[in-house]
Amino acid sequence: MHVAEAGTGPLVLLLHGFPELWYSWRHQLPVLAAAGYHAVAPDLRGHGRTQAPVDVEDYGMAAHVADAVGVLDALGESTAVLVGHDWGASTAWAAAELHPERFTAVAAPSVPDRPRSPRPPLTELRSFAGDRFNWMLYFQEPGVAEADLSADVARTMRLMMYGLSGDAGDTGVRMVTGLPRDAVLLDQMPEPEAPAAWLTETDLAYYVDEYERTGFTGGLNRYRNADLDWELLPELGTGVIAQPALFVGGDLDTAVRFADPNRMRNHIPNLTGPIVLPGAGHWIQQERSDEVNHALLTFLRTVD
């Protein structure tokens, strides 16, 4: 496992999402270090410079939670504060629920925690989607999304980063609710008129170089375990997360719009927030790094 780290002090473990890398935390690492924390951001399994298992089943939630625990063990730490974005947020919530003795607090930009669904997640999604396009369902068939996303990695990263950001306005909502089932995902995303202030050409090039080398299968295999996770971890999403918790989201993020984060209070009694930033999209710790850093540091001080 490849990790980027900065600083010394109490451990803060940062888990990225898809299609991201440790690099999505580039604005948080130095700030956390300067505040007296040991900030560690790994490339998750199958991403960047971390080993990529071959089997789809090796990308399930149990494996990702075990990786998070394994980082603590490798660093000789008994506990950490866990911060996750996108799929990393889902892993952070799961790890906090399954291993409260190791993760003393949890923060999740963008993706709220959700209770266990009554039916397997893909069944729920097919019912929700009907005759509309759905990302999760599109990602299920091995090889299909890989071919689309890998055809032009620079275009893929440019469109996905822009299309789900606050810069694109309601584009993300249209892609979730307004596309026909047979839509070609990238063809529905608008081209940015200019480089984003939060994502320079150098930033974009880092992502492009890494995904051109590795492909997208590692990240896509995470989606392909949704139903298996539901079967193998029946306790997940059924208990209370008692640790201090923080949620920060953007009001233009579809993950916030379609899952009211206020409902988390029912099973996360020590929740700070939800903090919802106007005009922010899905890549919130990159788009609005100053505000996210302020929220994280304020939260960490209360945990200390």
Side-chain angles (χ1 to χ4, degrees), residues 132-185:
R132 298 168 299 179
F133 178 87
N134 181 273
W135 286 57
M136 178 78 85
L137 300 178
Y138 162 68
F139 287 160
Q140 292 306 307
E141 184 64 31
V144 174
E146 281 94 336
D148 290 343
L149 300 180
S150 297
D152 185 340
V153 174
R155 176 175 180 261
T156 293
M157 297 306 301
R158 183 175 67 250
L159 295 186
M160 291 189 74
M161 289 293 178
Y162 174 72
L164 295 180
S165 74
D167 297 349
D170 284 334
T171 297
V173 174
R174 183 179 67 84
M175 289 189 294
V176 170
T177 63
L179 301 183
R181 182 183 297 172
D182 60 352
V184 177
L185 176 62

Side-chain angles (χ1 to χ4, degrees), residues 31-100:
V31 170
L32 289 169
Y37 297 96
H38 182 194
V40 175
D43 283 332
L44 301 185
R45 60 171 55 206
H47 294 77
R49 304 172 201 177
T50 290
Q51 189 175 15
V54 175
D55 295 336
V56 173
E57 294 78 10
D58 287 333
Y59 292 84
M61 181 60 79
H64 280 82
V65 169
D67 286 348
V69 173
V71 172
L72 270 64
D73 292 342
L75 294 173
E77 297 284 357
S78 60
T79 62
V81 174
L82 190 53
V83 183
H85 173 255
D86 189 76
W87 267 116
S90 298
T91 301
W93 292 124
E97 185 174 353
L98 296 174
H99 295 283

Side-chain angles (χ1 to χ4, degrees), residues 187-249:
D187 290 348
Q188 306 299 322
M189 294 186 177
E191 282 277 3
E193 296 181 359
W198 58 272
L199 189 73
T200 67
E201 292 293 343
T202 299
D203 296 332
L204 188 61
Y206 185 88
Y207 286 116
V208 172
D209 288 347
E210 290 292 271
Y211 277 101
E212 283 183 339
R213 182 174 55 81
T214 66
F216 292 88
T217 299
L220 293 169
N221 280 346
R222 184 69 200 85
Y223 291 84
R224 294 166 183 157
N225 277 271
D227 279 359
L228 188 59
D229 289 342
W230 190 85
E231 294 173 10
L232 296 179
L233 296 170
E235 72 277 27
L236 198 61
T238 64
V240 171
I241 296 175
Q243 302 96 307
L246 168 69
F247 179 79
V248 184

